Amino acid sequence: MPTTKTALDAAKEAVAQELEADGDEYVTVPLAGYDGVTKDVRAVPNTRWRSSALRALNHGDFDGFFAFVLHEDDYELYEELDPTAEGIGNFAEAVVRESGEAMGKSSGPSRSSRSTRRR
């Protein structure tokens, strides 16, 4: 189900306030349009993507997803570029690369340096 404008506005404001409070910066990544034109946009690092943004992406609500993760000044650029699904996938991969941590990947618990087996 597409995200409502009220929910988008509230979520975007919350993300902007969190980034400002935490001192986090946006990452700058390329976004390719349907006609092959590529422009740089600012996005929230993938480690800061809210579950609502991921839900929008998983449900194919690309407008909602980009409203959540793009800097508010770059959203019109996204609409202008009108990227394909491949361009959106490349955008997400670029954000992950620039953010420095893979999506859905956790290092997990580290192994103990000592053996726990009694001798």
Side-chain angles (χ1 to χ4, degrees):
M1 173 177 10
T3 308
T4 65
K5 175 145 178 49
T6 305
L8 282 176
D9 291 343
K12 288 189 321 188
E13 180 64 27
V15 169
Q17 287 177 356
E18 287 173 12
L19 287 171
E20 187 176 308
D22 292 345
D24 284 347
E25 297 292 323
Y26 288 89
V27 294
T28 302
V29 296
L31 179 62
Y34 73 93
D35 58 358
V37 172
T38 301
K39 295 191 178 181
D40 286 343
V41 294
R42 292 163 291 178
V44 175
N46 74 301
T47 56
R48 302 289 301 200
W49 288 357
R50 292 173 155 234
S51 60
S52 48
L54 295 173
R55 247 190 331 273
L57 181 61
N58 289 333
H59 286 111
D61 181 8
F62 299 129
D63 292 339
F65 169 73
F66 278 99
F68 285 122
V69 302
L70 285 182
H71 186 280
E72 64 184 43
D73 294 341
D74 291 344
Y75 185 80
E76 285 182 27
L77 187 56
Y78 150 74
E79 290 180 315
E80 190 179 298
L81 289 169
D82 196 17
T84 63
E86 180 182 11
I88 293 168
N90 292 339
F91 163 83
E93 289 174 4
V95 171
V96 168
R97 267 194 315 277
E98 290 298 315
S99 297
E101 186 170 322
M103 284 179 30
K105 303 285 182 175
S106 168
S107 61
S110 60
R111 289 188 69 166
S112 173
S113 60
R114 304 183 339 182
S115 174
T116 56
R117 182 176 169 201
R118 291 185 178 232
R119 296 179 193 254

